[in-house]
Amino acid sequence: MAEARDDLPGVVIAVETQGNTLSGISLFNGFDANELKQIERSCVWRKCRSGDQILTRYSLSRDIIFVVSGEVRIVNFSLTGREVAYAEVKSGGYFGELAAIDGEPRSANVVAHQDCLLASLSPPAFRDVLRSHPEVGVRVLEKLARIVRVCDDRIMDLATLGAHQRVYRELSRLITGDPIRLGSWLIYPSPTQATIAAKASTTRETVARVMSQLTSAGILERKSKTLYVRDRERLNLLIEHVSPMDDAAR
C-alpha cells in the first residue's frame, strides 16, 4: 500500500485487508487484474462521510482521486459566499486530474455528497500509468474536452441569459422522458432549490420565485419527489424570452 499523506481528509484504510478494487473506475476499463492490482497498491484509500470537505480551492495536494463508491460535488464560492456548482462525480468517476497533470494548486472545492470510498494516486504514479497506457491519456483528454464544452455553454448562458432564464435552462437540462406515459416529461429526483441556484449562478430566492411561477402557470407540477413537466414547449420558449423583471434579476 502507498504511504499515507496528510493533505487529504478521511480515514485511511488498507486495500489488502478490505478487498477494495478500482475495477469499477471507468478510466481503467479493459485493464487486466494484474495491471489493476499494481495501481491499487500505489493508491491511498480513504473513507469520507457525507459533508466532508475533501479538497479546498488553492490547496497544495496534487493527487488524482478515484470515487470507488459514493458521490462528490465540485463547487466554488463567490466573494459573497454564493455557491457555484460545477459537477457531481459519482461512483466510477474521478477528479483532481488538472493538478496531477500541471502541478498547479486545486481549481475548485470538492465536498462529499454521500459517504465515499476514495482512492488517491500521486502525480508520479499517475504519469507512469499515462506513459504505459496511452488509452488512459486519450480518455482523460476526452473528459477535459467535455469540460471545456460545458464551460463554453455556461459562459454563453451567463453572458446572454437573465437569472430566470438560467433557471429555466437548468430545468430543461434535467428533463427526461416519463417511463410510464409516452410523450410525457419529468425531472426525477426533483432537485433542491439550492442545487438549481448553484448551477444557474443565482440565488435560492430567485429559484423559489421561478418554480412558483412555473407551477402557477401549469408548466410544472410537483408530486412527491418528482417534477412533472406539463408543457415542455412553453418552458423552452421561456428560455429565449427576456422580460424587464428578469433583466433586473441578472
Side-chain angles (χ1 to χ4, degrees):
M1 181 177 172
E3 180 182 355
R5 297 177 292 281
D6 294 329
D7 51 0
L8 294 173
V11 179
V12 178
I13 59 175
V15 61
E16 293 87 353
T17 59
Q18 297 293 328
N20 297 312
T21 177
L22 296 174
S23 60
I25 302 300
S26 59
L27 196 60
F28 302 127
N29 286 345
F31 277 47
D32 64 38
N34 289 331
E35 291 173 323
L36 210 55
K37 183 60 68 176
Q38 291 179 2
I39 300 172
E40 290 166 357
R41 288 172 176 165
S42 298
C43 288
V44 174
W45 296 71
R46 299 172 187 267
K47 288 184 176 180
C48 294
R49 294 187 178 276
S50 177
D52 281 355
Q53 182 91 25
I54 298 170
L55 292 176
T56 57
R57 191 179 187 188
Y58 304 129
S59 62
L60 299 180
S61 67
R62 299 291 185 269
D63 293 0
I64 184 171
I65 304 173
F66 308 106
V67 183
V68 181
S69 64
E71 180 178 332
V72 305
R73 298 183 69 228
I74 302 176
V75 301
N76 265 331
F77 298 93
S78 71
L79 293 176
T80 59
R82 180 189 297 173
E83 180 181 305
V84 179
Y86 289 170
E88 293 83 32
V89 182
K90 301 179 184 294
S91 175
Y94 62 93
F95 60 93
E97 67 274 16
L98 290 182
I101 292 171
D102 65 13
E104 294 295 319
R106 299 295 188 180
S107 60
N109 302 275
V110 181
V111 180
H113 192 49
Q114 302 172 356
D115 290 352
C116 295
L117 173 61
L118 307 174
S120 57
L121 188 65
S122 70
F126 180 50
R127 289 179 180 272
D128 287 343
V129 173
L130 293 176
R131 293 188 186 99
S132 57
H133 297 277
E135 70 275 19
V136 173
V138 172
R139 290 168 185 166
V140 172
L141 286 173
E142 290 172 344
K143 178 187 176 184
L144 294 177
R146 288 194 297 270
I147 291 173
V148 170
R149 290 184 181 277
V150 169
C151 288
D152 284 348
D153 288 342
R154 289 188 177 274
I155 291 171
M156 180 62 73
D157 286 352
L158 287 170
T160 61
L161 301 180
H164 287 208
Q165 292 172 290
R166 294 197 300 272
V167 175
Y168 304 146
R169 175 81 79 187
E170 290 302 326
L171 290 171
S172 71
R173 287 173 173 149
L174 297 172
I175 294 174
T176 59
D178 189 329
I180 298 177
R181 294 184 294 181
L182 187 64
S184 297
W185 309 93
L186 55 79
I187 299 173
Y188 179 85
S190 176
T192 65
Q193 293 175 359
T195 297
I196 298 173
K199 290 188 175 183
S201 190
T202 187
T203 64
R204 184 174 176 178
E205 291 75 18
T206 296
V207 174
R209 186 162 54 250
V210 170
M211 298 294 284
S212 176
Q213 291 170 350
L214 292 175
T215 301
S216 298
I219 296 173
L220 294 182
E221 181 182 1
R222 182 187 299 275
K223 290 185 178 180
S224 186
K225 296 181 179 181
T226 303
L227 270 178
Y228 290 94
V229 183
R230 300 307 188 192
D231 196 332
R232 189 178 185 183
E233 183 176 351
R234 284 178 65 195
L235 179 61
N236 289 334
L237 288 173
L238 285 171
I239 296 173
E240 304 302 326
H241 175 69
V242 180
S243 69
M245 182 182 298
D246 194 31
D247 272 343
R250 280 179 184 267

